[in-house]
């Protein structure tokens, strides 16, 4: 061979191997779309498909949490067994992250007179711990809405209807909650506040395209609640459900996908970027959510705005990542923005993965009538009348479902 053709050949080979190297695993990944996730064996799911789907959600949707660990310190601020008219113990714990002067405040109510460690619901709240109940002892976070909105405490108890604490405690469960704004305030400031900056590498000023947005940050916060529960012997770490409404329902699903210590995950009206299939483009779409909430997902997720067909896997993949642990998906009739049928279809299309584990997925294959929950399988679903909200009806169903596993 002539010298020049040898040179050409080696150049060509070099270019080929370069392009092979730079091809990301996402491009090479199988296209599952929004279809039912049916595979030949559990082994194949665990070896091939689960890692690929996990990596997709990690790097293209919510973004990777940092590997770096910061020292975490739990400080018991207050404890009383006189809460909720004497039936519950209230605990308030400051979770100190690294050098931050801005702790995450954890509020717990748990039943008195329990003979052994109790199961728990872990849930994030929207506007501050003090809004979940009128209890005057609840410490108001320094990050909670201030000024007029708070005034001389008018917001205390404002979200009581979403937190039927007595019902939950009477059922034998603890409730552990933190305020989303203590972990990462819910607005786009280029990731300068909240926990993101605590983890920046030298010279870094915002997360990379595949690194965590706010939903992943909230999920990180919920995992720190689980770390606390592991230390508190009065709560049973093996019987903890993570539950969330709406944007916090998206977070509840992603938290359980990331952190296998959560035994059950409950998505209440989580919609786009949560349980709903994106490909349907009903109600909120990927483009709309990325525009209104540019901080929720990682930067890579913008690739899918008005381009849902390119999603290698849809949100049924997120539910499948939680298998074989039980998942509950719930919708509200008037919540078209969250696409109830799309939420149902995700639960259905994730179900074959549960069957690979010898579990039962969703027990029905058509949308049920209103207020007719399907809880026979390890994937449950209900749709209730009314609007986008989390109500005591929803909670009563979650308790019934959790009882199946925890009691
Ligand atoms: C908006 C948003 C939804 C979100 C909801 C909520 O409606 O578009 O994606 O679920 O807020 O968190 O209440």
């Amino acid at each position: 061979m002539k010298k020049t053709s040898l040179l050409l050949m080696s150049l060509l080979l070099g270019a080929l191997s370069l392009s092979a190297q730079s091809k990301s695993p996402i491009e090479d990944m199988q296209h599952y779309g929004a279809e039912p996730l049916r595979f030949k064996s559990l082994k194949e799911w665990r070896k091939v498909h689960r890692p690929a789907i996990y990596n997709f959600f990690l790097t293209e949707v919510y973004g990777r949490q940092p590997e770096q660990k910061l020292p975490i310190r739990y400080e018991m601020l207050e404890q009383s067994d006189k809460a909720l008219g004497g039936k519950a113990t209230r605990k308030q714990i400051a979770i100190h992250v690294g050098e931050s002067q801005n702790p995450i405040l954890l509020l717990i109510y748990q039943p008195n007179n329990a003979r052994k460690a109790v199961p728990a619901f872990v849930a994030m709240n929207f506007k501050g711990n003090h809004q979940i109940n009128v209890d005057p002892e609840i410490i108001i976070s320094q990050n909670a809405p201030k000024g007029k909105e708070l005034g001389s405490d008018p917001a205390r108890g404002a979200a009581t209807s979403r937190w039927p604490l007595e019902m939950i405690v009477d059922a034998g469960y603890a409730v552990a909650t933190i305020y989303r704004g203590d972990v990462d305030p819910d607005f786009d400031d280029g990731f300068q506040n909240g926990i993101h900056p605590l983890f920046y590498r030298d010279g870094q000023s915002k997360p990379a395209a595949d690194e965590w947005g706010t939903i992943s940050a909230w999920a990180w916060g919920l995992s720190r609640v689980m770390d606390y529960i592991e230390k508190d012997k009065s709560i049973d770490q093996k019987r903890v459900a993570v539950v969330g409404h709406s944007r916090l329902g998206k977070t509840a699903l992603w938290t359980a996908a990331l952190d296998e210590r959560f035994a059950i995950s409950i998505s209440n009206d989580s919609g786009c970027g949560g349980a709903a299939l994106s490909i349907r483009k009903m109600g909120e779409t990927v483009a709309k959510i990325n525009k209104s909430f540019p901080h929720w997902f990682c930067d890579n997720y913008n690739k899918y705005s008005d381009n849902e067909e390119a999603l290698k896997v849809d949100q049924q993949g997120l539910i499948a990542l939680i298998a074989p642990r039980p998942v509950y998906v719930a919708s509200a009739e008037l919540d078209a923005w969250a696409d109830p049928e799309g939420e149902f279809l995700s639960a259905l299309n994730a179900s074959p993965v549960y069957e690979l584990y010898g579990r039962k997925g969703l027990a029905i294959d058509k949308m049920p009538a209103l207020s007719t929950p399907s809880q026979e399988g390890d994937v449950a679903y209900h749709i209730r009348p009314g609007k986008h909200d989390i109500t005591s009806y929803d909670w009563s169903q979650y308790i019934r479902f959790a009882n199946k596993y925890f009691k």
Side-chain angles (χ1 to χ4, degrees):
M1 218 183 270
K2 280 206 195 118
K3 246 194 185 160
T4 44
S5 46
L6 258 179
L7 188 70
L8 267 178
M9 184 100 137
S10 64
L11 274 176
L12 189 71
L13 278 175
L16 272 177
S17 77
L18 245 185
S19 81
Q21 274 168 17
S22 60
K23 215 167 172 204
S24 78
I26 301 300
E27 285 170 50
D28 292 340
M29 181 182 163
Q30 178 177 333
H31 188 98
Y32 303 93
E35 296 303 305
L37 296 171
R38 285 189 216 292
F39 306 110
K40 276 201 221 74
S41 66
L42 181 58
K43 194 166 160 211
E44 185 187 313
W45 160 247
R46 291 173 65 151
K47 279 233 150 94
V48 182
H49 306 289
R50 190 184 190 282
I53 292 175
Y54 183 77
N55 186 53
F56 184 80
F57 282 99
L58 198 62
T59 61
E60 297 286 292
V61 183
Y62 305 105
R64 289 187 286 113
Q65 297 175 344
E67 270 155 33
Q68 186 198 346
K69 303 260 179 295
L70 289 181
I72 309 275
R73 191 166 54 84
Y74 296 90
E75 180 192 359
M76 186 65 77
L77 299 175
E78 187 261 352
Q79 179 166 355
S80 160
D81 61 4
K82 306 265 178 318
L84 305 182
K87 64 170 63 164
T89 292
R90 180 189 58 244
K91 292 176 185 162
Q92 302 194 71
I93 298 121
I95 306 178
H96 298 279
V97 183
E99 300 293 301
S100 169
Q101 297 302 309
N102 196 0
I104 301 167
L105 296 182
L106 168 59
L107 169 65
I108 299 177
Y109 288 96
Q110 60 188 86
N112 286 334
N113 311 321
R115 266 170 286 125
K116 51 180 190 155
V118 294
F121 289 102
V122 169
M124 196 169 249
N125 66 71
F126 273 79
K127 292 193 175 166
N129 294 350
H130 65 292
Q131 294 213 343
I132 80 162
N133 194 267
V134 290
D135 184 346
E137 300 303 325
I138 300 176
I139 302 167
I140 299 182
S141 159
Q142 52 182 318
N143 304 304
K146 289 188 183 67
K148 278 203 195 101
E149 200 185 330
L150 201 61
S152 59
D153 250 12
R156 202 173 274 278
T160 309
S161 70
R162 290 184 166 185
W163 296 87
L165 296 179
E166 299 211 7
M167 179 175 90
I168 301 169
V169 165
D170 285 343
Y173 288 82
V175 180
T177 187
I178 56 177
Y179 167 48
R180 63 180 162 150
D182 277 353
V183 180
D184 191 21
D186 193 357
F187 59 89
D188 178 26
D189 74 329
F191 298 106
Q192 299 315 302
N193 59 20
I195 55 167
H196 291 92
L198 302 179
F199 290 90
Y200 288 156
R201 297 176 291 273
D202 284 348
Q204 188 180 18
S205 60
K206 65 174 184 113
D210 66 345
E211 288 180 335
W212 55 347
T214 293
I215 291 177
S216 265
W218 289 339
W220 181 93
L222 291 168
S223 287
R224 303 296 72 79
V225 174
M226 181 55 110
D227 295 345
Y228 168 79
I229 288 174
E230 287 185 332
K231 296 179 199 304
D232 185 329
K233 297 288 164 255
S234 66
I235 303 177
D236 183 356
Q237 63 189 74
K238 295 266 182 276
R239 294 184 293 157
V240 178
V242 58
V243 47
H245 168 61
S246 207
R247 67 197 67 185
L248 304 179
K250 309 180 207 298
T251 307
L253 291 173
W254 179 230
T255 302
L258 285 171
D259 190 336
E260 299 194 358
R261 295 174 298 174
F262 289 98
I264 296 180
S265 181
I266 301 167
S267 145
N268 191 90
D269 305 0
S270 63
C272 181
L277 290 179
S278 303
I279 197 75
R280 289 164 49 83
K281 301 169 213 165
M282 303 285 275
E284 189 169 32
T285 62
V286 175
K288 287 179 188 160
I289 207 168
N290 278 331
K291 186 156 186 282
S292 310
F293 306 100
H295 56 296
W296 281 359
F297 302 89
C298 69
D299 256 8
N300 280 336
Y301 197 50
N302 288 308
K303 296 184 208 163
Y304 306 97
S305 289
D306 293 320
N307 187 26
E308 286 83 351
E309 288 68 22
L311 286 163
K312 292 282 177 146
V313 61
D314 214 309
Q315 296 300 118
Q316 90 285 25
L318 176 61
I319 297 176
L321 289 178
I322 303 169
R325 289 165 294 151
V327 169
Y328 201 126
V329 174
S331 312
E333 185 188 15
L334 304 178
D335 191 13
W337 185 242
D339 185 18
E341 189 166 2
E343 296 180 313
F344 170 80
L345 287 172
S346 263
L348 184 65
N349 292 354
S351 290
V353 170
Y354 281 78
E355 281 144 29
L356 289 178
Y357 284 96
R359 310 296 291 261
K360 190 171 160 100
L362 195 58
I364 48 176
D365 57 9
K366 298 262 169 341
M367 283 277 279
L370 294 177
S371 310
T372 314
S374 169
Q375 298 192 7
E376 294 71 36
D378 296 309
V379 179
Y381 179 83
H382 78 239
I383 176 164
R384 59 154 174 81
K387 63 179 176 57
H388 185 71
D389 196 3
I390 180 166
T391 66
S392 52
Y393 173 83
D394 296 317
W395 276 104
S396 67
Q397 297 312 318
Y398 305 150
I399 291 169
R400 187 157 75 92
F401 186 61
N403 282 346
K404 200 168 102 169
Y405 302 94
F406 290 170
K407 291 283 157 113

